Every structure is written in C-alpha cells, then in structure tokens.
Amino acid sequence: MARTTPHDHPPAEEEPLYRRIATQLLGELRDGRIPPGERLPGERRLAEHFGVSRETVRQALELLRRDGLVATDRRGSHATLPGLPVETPASLAFPVGAAAATPGTVARATVTWEPPPPGHAEALGLAPGRPTLVHNYRYATADGRGLRSAVTSFSAVALAEVEELARYRDRADGTATAHLRRAYDWMRRAGLTLHHRDAITRLASTPSVRVTRQVHDQYARPLEITDLVVDAQQDALVYEFTLPGRAG
C-alpha cells in the first residue's frame, strides 16, 4: 500500500485534529515560513499558534517525523524538506550597515538598558518610557568624522526568547564593547524565522540618508528595529540578497 503524508488527506470533520494541525504545519514548512534546517518553535508556542493543546501538537509532530518531514536532535525539532533557507547569514548583517574595521577607521558598539526612541517603542509595541535593550553602533574614520551610526532597539519578544540577548541586560551600562554581530544567528537558533523590511529615506538639508530596518518573526511579532544614518557623500551601502533556486 502506498505511503501517505498529511497533505494527502483532505480536511474533513472526521479527520483527527492532530492530522489537521500536521497539515497546517506542513503548509508553513513548504511555503518557507519555517525554512529547511531551522529549528521549529517549541510545543508550547506551536500550541498557542494553532490554538490546540500541547498533546495535539506532539501527535502532529510525531506524524511529520514518521513521514521524514521533521527531524529531532539535541537542538530540538527542525524541518527536513529539501531546498535552501530563504535567508542565509550573509544576507543579513547586524546591525544594518555594519562594516569591518579597516586601517584608518574605528568601529564602536555598546548596549544600554533604557527607554528606546519613541518611534522604536511604537514599532516594537512597548509602552512609552518602558526600558529595553538598546544597541548603539558607530563607524568612523580615525579623524572622528562620522561615516555611519546605528541605533537598534530590541522587543520584549526578542529578549524573552533569545537567551544570548537577555544576558546583556545586567551589563548594559553603555561602557563595555558589545558588537552583537551574531544577533541574527542567535534569533535563528531560538527557532525564529527572520523577515526584514528596509526603508531608505533622504535626510532633508543634509547629504545623509537614513535606513530603517524592522525585523519580525514568522508570527509577525516585532523583534528589533534599527535606524542607520549614513553620510552619502563619503560612504555607500551594499545590499546582498540570496534567493532560493526555482524548483525544477
């Protein structure tokens, strides 16, 4: 008898709930909302996402494991569908606009625990005046001319679910160096799929431009927002994008 997978069964009232959840989860895996190789959210978060019990999620995951669509190891459960992840580490640098230090330049980054700029608080869903982790980045020439500076504010979701970020709260006094270059890798390891939107605007009466990046996870929850200011007369931004290959 031919082997079947969850998507081979049309939804029906008599179909077990766990099989319907497996079908929905498989759909999210196939459309790239959870890229291949990325860790799946935990059972509790999946149960909240689909509005079912953790036991139902457990049964759905077991069904997908039996069909070879999900694997579990020490990192947790992850998708095993063929294909490349939607994003690769090279396509997202933290913070946006970060550049490697070269002779004659200085890169400085620190973190503070303070209320973010008003626009950041609104974008992250934070109450006015509520503190959060704020990352400040500055890249300049040796003579002190500012080439680019970035301010990043992290959401409560990012701090609650990304252990490496949460650890910075107790040492966020604005003095110690904290580049957080691996922030996006940490988010991925926490089971978050990153969706980013970059907006570029010209600053009036100046040669500079502002790049605003907002990053959300697969559930449309905000993770971070960054405002980068670049002196367009002296510097340039280079964007790299990696797109998945077309299925043959």
Side-chain angles (χ1 to χ4, degrees), residues 20-40:
R20 281 183 280 167
I21 297 304
T23 300
Q24 292 179 48
L25 181 54
L26 180 60
E28 295 194 6
L29 297 177
R30 290 198 184 284
D31 67 15
R33 276 178 278 177
I34 305 177
E38 292 286 352
R39 194 173 75 177
L40 271 63

Side-chain angles (χ1 to χ4, degrees), residues 99-146:
T102 58
T105 63
V106 178
R108 170 74 170 160
T110 59
V111 288
T112 56
W113 184 260
E114 62 183 4
H120 285 204
E122 182 179 0
L124 298 176
L126 297 173
R130 178 180 175 180
T132 191
L133 190 69
V134 177
H135 182 267
N136 291 278
Y137 171 85
R138 179 179 171 82
Y139 179 87
T141 56
D143 61 11
R145 288 182 300 159

Side-chain angles (χ1 to χ4, degrees), residues 42-188:
E43 290 179 358
R44 176 181 59 80
R45 281 178 43 207
L46 285 173
E48 294 173 353
H49 176 57
F50 291 114
V52 297
S53 68
R54 291 180 65 174
E55 178 59 29
T56 297
V57 167
R58 218 170 277 129
Q59 292 176 315
L61 289 173
E62 179 58 30
L63 181 60
L64 293 175
R65 286 191 198 99
R66 290 205 307 264
D67 288 324
L69 302 170
V70 164
T72 301
D73 55 25
R74 288 182 300 175
R75 296 188 304 121
S77 296
H78 56 272
T80 58
L81 298 177
L84 294 172
V86 172
E87 296 169 338
T88 64
S91 67
L92 275 180
F94 181 86
V96 56
T102 58
T105 63
V106 178
R108 170 74 170 160
T110 59
V111 288
T112 56
W113 184 260
E114 62 183 4
H120 285 204
E122 182 179 0
L124 298 176
L126 297 173
R130 178 180 175 180
T132 191
L133 190 69
V134 177
H135 182 267
N136 291 278
Y137 171 85
R138 179 179 171 82
Y139 179 87
T141 56
D143 61 11
R145 288 182 300 159
L147 295 179
R148 57 181 70 183
S149 60
V151 177
T152 300
S153 303
F154 292 96
S155 71
V157 170
L159 296 176
E161 303 201 11
V162 183
E163 181 180 356
E164 293 88 346
L165 287 176
R167 290 175 185 163
Y168 277 91
R169 174 172 180 171
D170 295 333
R171 43 185 166 147
D173 58 4
T175 59
T177 299
H179 282 281
L180 305 190
R181 293 187 183 95
R182 300 188 61 197
Y184 293 139
D185 290 333
W186 297 337
M187 291 179 183
R188 289 188 181 93

